[in-house]
Amino acid sequence: MLKKILTWGGLAFLVFFVAFRPDEASGVVGSLAGGILDAANGFAAFFTNLVT
């Protein structure tokens, strides 16, 4: 029950955030994507160095 409430609450917050603060929402998504890309580059460098 709590999981369902938190899921719907998170979804409602996401819709609200995108609808009323689109500039900030795009900044958050850009920051998250940049962090994921940095992590992927780190893993790629690790495995490259491991093989060579």
Side-chain angles (χ1 to χ4, degrees):
M1 179 70 174
L2 181 62
K3 182 179 177 183
K4 186 182 281 190
I5 292 171
L6 291 176
T7 301
W8 282 108
L11 185 60
F13 177 74
L14 179 65
V15 169
F16 174 81
F17 193 54
V18 170
F20 291 102
R21 303 274 189 198
D23 293 333
E24 289 86 354
S26 65
V28 168
V29 171
S31 295
L32 288 174
I36 292 171
L37 184 60
D38 289 342
N41 285 334
F43 278 110
F46 169 76
F47 285 115
T48 300
N49 290 332
L50 190 65
V51 172
T52 59

